[in-house]
Amino acid sequence: MSSAAAPKAPAGVTITHPNREKAVVQGTRATVILLLLVSVALLLIITFGGWEALLGASIALQLAFVVAFLLLAFVAGRWNRGVLPVASGLAVLLIIFALTGASAWFNRDGSGFNQPVLDANLLGLLTLLIVPVQILLITFAMRGFQQGWNVELEQRP
């Protein structure tokens, strides 16, 4: 299932990636991509569900995370393990933002607050749900980084 283009090799030499054929490695890659896409979905639901209540700067930051996670999912899909530590670092930042921002959604029960499109308590729950998703993303990304997706073997005739 090596869909990435093989680098140029001398005539008669075939380059293979033996670790990419293992089921556990393919499963790790698929899980990392799935967790990145779940993160994107949660961020988009929170962003558009609470559009009226969010400040302008936080919307831009959330959309930057969405673009970054989509780009990381694409590159991880092409077997580039170099993006896995980047995904882990962004996941740590997102955990911090989610933990500090979730209480703001739960505190919107008082009078004088604009009510978002989705219920504020639901948005708070979704914000807290980001935390375990990011912990799983960190775990699987670091596991994938250790699996040697980049190992190449030259086979000569």
Side-chain angles (χ1 to χ4, degrees):
M1 189 169 165
S2 298
S3 61
K8 298 280 183 186
V13 175
T14 304
I15 296 178
T16 61
H17 298 87
N19 292 342
R20 295 180 185 179
E21 303 302 324
K22 297 176 184 174
V24 67
V25 175
Q26 291 177 1
T28 301
R29 182 181 74 143
T31 304
V32 167
I33 293 169
L34 176 69
L35 289 169
L36 286 166
L37 295 177
V38 167
S39 300
V40 166
L42 286 171
L43 285 170
L44 287 175
I45 291 170
I46 293 167
T47 301
F48 293 115
W51 189 268
E52 295 93 17
L54 291 173
L55 301 175
S58 65
I59 291 174
L61 183 63
Q62 285 176 296
L63 294 178
F65 269 105
V66 166
V67 170
F69 279 6
L70 285 173
L71 182 64
L72 291 171
F74 173 76
V75 176
R78 299 192 64 192
W79 288 104
N80 186 333
R81 80 173 192 147
V83 300
L84 299 177
V86 176
S88 295
L90 288 176
V92 169
L93 285 175
L94 194 55
I95 287 172
I96 294 169
F97 291 142
L99 287 175
T100 58
S103 63
W105 289 117
F106 292 118
N107 292 336
R108 298 189 69 80
D109 290 337
S111 62
F113 286 107
N114 291 339
Q115 288 303 318
V117 174
L118 293 177
D119 183 46
N121 289 328
L122 175 63
L123 290 172
L125 179 65
L126 291 174
T127 304
L128 286 177
L129 186 61
I130 288 175
V131 174
V133 170
Q134 298 313 299
I135 291 171
L136 286 171
L137 176 59
I138 293 167
T139 303
F140 279 96
M142 290 298 93
R143 182 178 179 202
F145 191 73
Q146 294 173 346
Q147 290 175 338
W149 294 2
N150 60 332
V151 173
E152 295 178 346
L153 294 177
E154 292 182 0
Q155 295 179 343
R156 299 183 186 276

